[in-house]
Amino acid sequence: MQALIDTSSYTQRIAQACDVLGLHPTSQQIAQLLQYVEQLQRWNRSYNLTAIRDPEQMLTQHILDCLAVVSPVQRAIDASAKHEPTVLDVGSGAGLPGVVLAVMLPAVQVTCVDAVEKKMTFVRQMRGVLGLTNLSATHARIETLSAQYDVVISRAFASLSDFAQSSGARVLPTGSLVAMKARPTDEEFADLASQTDWSIAKVEPLDVPELQAQRCLVWLHRTENA
């Protein structure tokens, strides 16, 4: 069977991207990311997990994009000083960024949640295929969950106000609520301030290797604690 991806080229590009991002993956972690891209490409043919179908675009717009948030998430986890830190990926879809975070941060327990069952079935499959004992997947709406986490993150899941309203209660008092965004708008900031108890802590620009597009992390904090 013909390979779905150019393994040699992708290995080099992931390694180079990690070098740019200050990450130091093992050969096993790079192999896990490669296998994830290949499985995503294979499953997407039948299950429509993502609108991006070209493996080249999957590599840059999914894998490298998510690798760019590994260090910021690690910093937030280090600041919480938890022995067994936890991350919740809201509206995870095919496991983005949850699967990438689980690969790169093996000491962190990562939970993906999504309302689409087939997408969480895929993430559970990735737990087994990639050997990620720190990864779990929950088929549910975020509003129905009760546990709290050190970092609650989303990737283009909803507007900032909708994200804060639906997911803010899942953040531990010492935790972080953070949204992966392309270009947040002034309207989003205004709605967040007027409709929620959350406000902007900082907007952190991200430089995603190979991706000529604006990306940032929007860190939120509870207004009452400001």
Side-chain angles (χ1 to χ4, degrees):
M1 180 180 296
Q2 183 179 3
L4 296 178
I5 62 174
D6 184 342
T7 301
S8 176
S9 172
Y10 281 27
T11 297
Q12 183 178 21
R13 289 164 63 186
I14 290 173
Q16 289 175 341
C18 286
D19 187 56
V20 169
L21 295 168
L23 303 174
H24 306 284
T26 64
S27 56
Q28 179 183 1
Q29 287 171 316
I30 292 178
Q32 287 171 316
L33 293 174
L34 286 170
Q35 194 168 12
Y36 177 44
V37 177
E38 187 167 12
Q39 289 291 321
L40 186 57
Q41 176 75 1
R42 191 183 305 276
W43 275 62
N44 209 41
R45 292 174 172 176
S46 301
Y47 293 97
N48 193 30
L49 300 174
T50 169
I52 296 176
R53 299 189 174 278
D54 177 61
E56 283 284 319
Q57 292 184 328
M58 283 183 177
L59 180 67
T60 56
Q61 296 187 38
H62 285 336
I63 305 304
L64 303 191
D65 188 46
C66 291
L67 282 172
V69 307
V70 172
S71 288
V73 169
Q74 180 69 72
R75 288 198 302 270
I77 287 169
D78 290 344
S80 72
K82 285 285 291 294
H83 177 61
E84 294 183 347
T86 56
V87 169
L88 178 66
D89 175 14
V90 180
S92 181
L96 299 158
V99 172
V100 175
L101 291 173
V103 168
M104 298 300 295
L105 302 174
V108 178
Q109 294 296 318
V110 179
T111 300
C112 297
V113 61
D114 199 282
V116 180
E117 185 173 11
K118 66 183 179 182
K119 294 181 178 180
M120 293 299 89
T121 298
F122 173 72
V123 173
R124 293 189 192 101
Q125 180 74 4
M126 292 306 95
R127 171 187 165 92
V129 170
L130 305 180
L132 297 174
T133 58
N134 63 324
L135 176 67
S136 61
T138 300
H139 168 227
R141 294 185 61 83
I142 180 62
E143 295 86 353
T144 67
L145 301 188
S146 58
Q148 291 185 309
Y149 301 80
D150 295 295
V151 175
V152 176
I153 191 169
S154 76
R155 180 175 185 257
F157 165 64
S159 69
L160 292 176
S161 61
D162 287 346
F163 177 45
Q165 288 173 334
S166 67
S167 309
R170 305 281 64 81
V171 185
L172 285 163
T174 57
S176 300
L177 183 64
V178 56
M180 298 173 66
K181 286 284 186 177
R183 182 179 297 176
T185 64
D186 291 340
E187 182 180 0
E188 275 193 275
F189 292 151
D191 287 346
L192 179 74
S194 65
Q195 299 175 12
T196 79
D197 294 327
W198 292 79
S199 56
I200 305 298
K202 65 178 178 179
V203 178
E204 180 178 358
L206 296 175
D207 186 10
V208 180
E210 298 190 24
L211 188 61
Q212 303 301 314
Q214 185 172 344
R215 292 287 189 271
C216 67
L217 283 179
V218 181
W219 297 85
L220 309 177
H221 64 180
R222 293 177 176 88
T223 304
E224 61 189 14
N225 293 336

